[in-house]
Amino acid sequence: MNPGVDTDLYTTANATPEKRPSRRDQVHAEIRERIMKGEFTPTTRLVEERLAEETGHSRTPVREALIRLWANGLLEKRDGGYYPVLPDLAELRDLYELRVTIEIRGFTRVIENEAVRHDLRMLEELREHWRGLRMSPPEPDPSFVEADESFHRTLLASSGNFALVAALGSVNERIRPIRMYDFLTEDRVKDTIDEHLEIVELTLAGKLPEALMALRRHIGESFEVVEQRAARAYIQMTLHRGR
């Protein structure tokens, strides 16, 4: 595999479905779900003792969960504590526009320049991986965003411009916390897998204009879902704040 391409793609998606989540993962998932549903306001300090009591677990996994949620951008640190991050929908639109621009360039540089070609081996490996996911889809989980990001990084890297891949990575880091709202249902995971396969298969077939249209459609649908769900969480946060 060429330099700059993920070698440990889709670790979340590759997790064994039968494996029982650890206590720390359970606590992390519980608190994350409450945050994403808007159950806490941006002025609610998340206190270890209270969350441990509410979840029925010790403070240690709660503390670890808060650190992970902060690292993932769902929480912020201020006044010596953790607080939920209020989704910034205006910034989300701007960053999605930038994301689309970067990813589209991966195709247009190949379409416009006969000397530039996609790395077919890289794309074939990508296709095989996602065919496997179609056969055995992972459970809906916000962290599936990591698998989605890896697909798009590899697709872009196959066009040969790794500066574009780095730029996409920077954008992904900023929108990842809100993009987690995209993968909360089975239909969104299934649709994402199907759409990824459509894009990579069209690219391998040399149907680049069609692949580009499929990519635009795919990112646009993702944005609509993320915006709607993040907006609902925003409303819930503000409603709780007004109580």
Side-chain angles (χ1 to χ4, degrees), residues 24-107:
R24 67 177 60 181
D25 288 337
Q26 289 177 341
V27 175
H28 173 260
E30 288 177 28
I31 299 174
R32 181 181 61 192
E33 182 178 6
R34 294 179 65 185
I35 293 170
M36 296 182 73
K37 285 182 176 179
E39 293 186 12
F40 305 110
T41 76
T43 58
T44 301
R45 180 172 179 172
L46 301 188
V47 180
E48 288 180 18
E49 294 89 339
R50 183 167 63 244
L51 289 172
E53 182 177 338
E54 292 173 358
T55 60
H57 297 288
S58 66
R59 290 177 56 183
T60 298
V62 170
R63 183 183 309 114
E64 292 174 349
L66 293 177
I67 293 172
R68 287 175 63 185
L69 292 165
W70 168 70
N72 289 334
L74 289 174
L75 296 178
E76 61 180 344
K77 276 184 179 180
R78 65 174 189 270
D79 303 326
Y82 293 102
Y83 295 83
V85 173
L86 192 66
D88 188 335
L89 300 182
E91 182 184 49
L92 177 68
R93 295 185 189 98
D94 292 343
L95 290 172
Y96 253 87
E97 183 177 352
L98 178 56
R99 177 192 171 191
V100 169
T101 301
I102 294 170
E103 294 206 45
I104 285 176
R105 184 57 190 158
F107 278 96

Side-chain angles (χ1 to χ4, degrees), residues 1-233:
M1 184 170 289
N2 288 4
V5 180
D6 298 314
T7 56
D8 56 345
L9 296 177
Y10 328 116
T11 52
T12 301
N14 277 329
T16 305
E18 293 79 16
K19 184 178 180 181
R20 186 173 181 177
S22 65
R23 179 176 299 178
R24 67 177 60 181
D25 288 337
Q26 289 177 341
V27 175
H28 173 260
E30 288 177 28
I31 299 174
R32 181 181 61 192
E33 182 178 6
R34 294 179 65 185
I35 293 170
M36 296 182 73
K37 285 182 176 179
E39 293 186 12
F40 305 110
T41 76
T43 58
T44 301
R45 180 172 179 172
L46 301 188
V47 180
E48 288 180 18
E49 294 89 339
R50 183 167 63 244
L51 289 172
E53 182 177 338
E54 292 173 358
T55 60
H57 297 288
S58 66
R59 290 177 56 183
T60 298
V62 170
R63 183 183 309 114
E64 292 174 349
L66 293 177
I67 293 172
R68 287 175 63 185
L69 292 165
W70 168 70
N72 289 334
L74 289 174
L75 296 178
E76 61 180 344
K77 276 184 179 180
R78 65 174 189 270
D79 303 326
Y82 293 102
Y83 295 83
V85 173
L86 192 66
D88 188 335
L89 300 182
E91 182 184 49
L92 177 68
R93 295 185 189 98
D94 292 343
L95 290 172
Y96 253 87
E97 183 177 352
L98 178 56
R99 177 192 171 191
V100 169
T101 301
I102 294 170
E103 294 206 45
I104 285 176
R105 184 57 190 158
F107 278 96
T108 57
R109 70 188 304 270
V110 179
I111 293 172
E112 296 169 358
N113 188 344
E114 293 183 358
V116 178
R117 292 288 184 269
H118 281 99
D119 185 321
L120 298 184
R121 180 181 175 184
M122 192 182 297
L123 292 175
E124 287 167 355
E125 291 176 356
L126 192 62
R127 177 178 61 185
E128 290 310 304
H129 179 85
W130 285 83
R131 281 179 173 175
L133 292 184
R134 175 184 274 171
M135 294 293 294
S136 181
E139 294 295 321
D141 189 279
S143 60
F144 187 73
V145 69
E146 297 170 5
D148 181 80
E149 288 179 4
S150 289
F151 172 87
H152 287 273
R153 284 197 304 271
T154 303
L155 179 68
L156 185 57
S158 72
S159 72
N161 188 325
F162 295 101
L164 287 175
V165 178
L168 179 62
S170 297
V171 174
N172 282 338
E173 287 181 7
R174 296 177 64 184
I175 62 176
R176 186 178 300 130
I178 304 182
R179 285 206 62 229
M180 287 184 178
Y181 289 92
D182 195 3
F183 302 110
L184 305 181
T185 59
E186 289 183 3
D187 65 305
R188 279 303 300 154
V189 172
K190 179 182 180 299
D191 288 348
T192 296
I193 293 171
D194 290 342
E195 290 164 13
H196 283 180
L197 282 171
E198 178 188 14
I199 294 166
V200 74
E201 286 171 353
L202 286 170
T203 306
L204 280 167
K207 299 179 179 179
L208 301 188
E210 293 88 344
L212 180 54
M213 289 179 59
L215 177 66
R216 283 180 179 271
R217 185 168 58 249
H218 168 65
I219 297 176
E221 290 174 358
S222 172
F223 172 73
E224 290 177 3
V225 171
V226 170
E227 185 179 43
Q228 291 171 5
R229 291 177 178 168
R232 284 199 294 269

